[in-house]
Amino acid sequence: MRTFAVIALAGLISPPAEGAESCPPRPEETVRVAKAIDGDTLGLEDGRIVRLVSVLAPKAEAGELADMTRRLAETARTALADAVVGRDLGLAVTGRAQDRHGRILAHAFLDGNPDRWLQRDIIVKGLAWVYALEDNYRCVGPLLDEEARARGARMGLWATKLGAMADGGRPQQLSGRTGRFAIVEGRVDSVGERPKRTYLNFGTNWSEDFTVYVDRGDRARFDTADIDLKGLEGRRVRVRGWILDDRGPAIHMTNPEQLEIVDAR
């Protein structure tokens, strides 16, 4: 296994990506960082806590990969601390402003400079995965582009087993992962249309196989993005989100940023 070295400040801050349109957002508030709680969460000098939205750093957890996840989690936290503790950050809220724990959900910019987007710098070095939520998905697109580059270069977590994608055709790979984030790739076997939901089925045994579902209220986002959910039948796709237990492993897809079409027509 490749050694995962601590990434210093000099390597963490990278130049801005091109073609990001309206992203990254402009910072709206300046704060000072007191500590890095983990690889995606910061404690501020005024006592508030910031959760860096759209990036998910590894967290220490039990299981066969416990040593690896603990090491990667500490690497991400150390790199973030080296980059930002004692410095000013500009914050920009682009969706829901707080989570249920009262943490600020924001994009962050070193020294308030919009060209020094912290989320992008974390993803570039393979320190986290990109995720998207129904109420907080702006600017996920540019981060996915950076994640793809980091994955191709086997940076950070992408050089380890944590960077392995689950196979949507092998639901046993998702056994025991309920409640955990995953990126799942596979071919859509069929698409089921129901009044309240659309189902992407990755097998024929719907009580055991992996499934992705989209609720009726979320379908308009896919229409706006010119994604025909029914047309995904037979296509190879990549979906990201938290694994649910819905008569077999499932992901609730709420927005197009969770979906990548892997094959080409």
Side-chain angles (χ1 to χ4, degrees):
M1 184 180 301
R2 186 179 303 183
T3 301
F4 195 69
V6 172
I7 301 170
L9 170 62
L12 183 58
I13 302 303
S14 59
E18 297 179 357
E21 301 179 345
S22 61
C23 295
R26 307 293 296 186
E28 304 154 351
E29 177 187 5
T30 300
V31 298
R32 182 164 284 263
V33 180
K35 61 182 177 179
I37 297 171
D38 57 33
D40 53 41
T41 311
L42 299 170
L44 305 182
E45 287 189 351
D46 62 14
R48 292 181 295 168
I49 296 175
V50 174
R51 173 68 176 81
L52 299 174
V53 72
S54 300
V55 297
L56 179 68
K59 306 294 189 297
E61 58 185 44
E64 62 176 320
L65 301 180
D67 289 343
M68 179 187 299
T69 56
R70 176 181 50 78
R71 185 172 68 255
L72 294 174
E74 181 57 22
T75 295
R77 189 201 67 77
T78 300
L80 185 59
D82 288 346
V84 302
V85 169
R87 302 184 69 170
D88 288 340
L89 283 184
L91 300 182
V93 174
T94 57
R96 184 158 60 103
Q98 290 187 342
D99 65 12
R100 68 180 185 273
H101 304 293
R103 300 178 298 186
I104 302 168
L105 301 174
H107 292 272
F109 306 88
L110 194 64
D111 298 328
N113 185 343
D115 289 337
R116 308 185 79 177
W117 186 15
L118 196 55
Q119 272 89 337
R120 180 179 58 220
D121 298 328
I122 288 170
I123 294 299
V124 162
K125 295 301 177 182
L127 294 172
W129 300 273
V130 178
Y131 73 90
L133 294 177
E134 176 183 6
D135 48 13
N136 237 319
Y137 56 87
R138 180 180 165 191
C139 296
V140 164
L143 294 177
L144 287 172
D145 292 341
E146 298 295 353
E147 182 192 82
R149 294 186 187 99
R151 183 169 60 245
R154 293 179 57 80
M155 298 294 293
L157 67 86
W158 301 108
T160 75
K161 290 183 179 179
L162 285 188
M165 296 183 192
D167 183 344
R170 302 179 65 186
Q172 63 271 23
Q173 290 186 356
L174 298 169
S175 177
R177 297 184 66 178
T178 300
R180 297 181 182 178
F181 180 84
I183 302 176
V184 184
E185 184 175 314
R187 192 167 301 281
V188 179
D189 184 78
S190 65
V191 178
E193 294 278 7
R194 301 291 184 271
K196 294 185 178 180
R197 281 182 175 176
T198 299
Y199 291 91
L200 308 183
N201 302 305
F202 289 72
T204 56
N205 187 341
W206 298 345
S207 64
E208 295 181 3
D209 288 328
F210 175 64
T211 304
V212 174
Y213 66 87
V214 179
D215 287 339
R216 179 176 59 186
D218 297 320
R219 290 176 188 167
R221 296 192 186 97
F222 294 86
D223 294 337
T224 299
D226 293 326
I227 295 175
D228 175 15
L229 293 172
K230 182 64 177 177
L232 294 177
E233 186 169 309
R235 304 294 301 273
R236 188 166 185 83
V237 302
R238 186 179 297 147
V239 182
R240 64 186 62 221
W242 278 263
I243 300 298
L244 307 172
D245 184 5
D246 185 31
R247 291 178 301 173
I251 286 178
H252 180 199
M253 189 165 63
T254 62
N255 57 79
E257 285 76 8
Q258 291 177 257
L259 173 71
E260 297 172 80
I261 300 175
V262 178
D263 61 5
R265 285 296 193 188

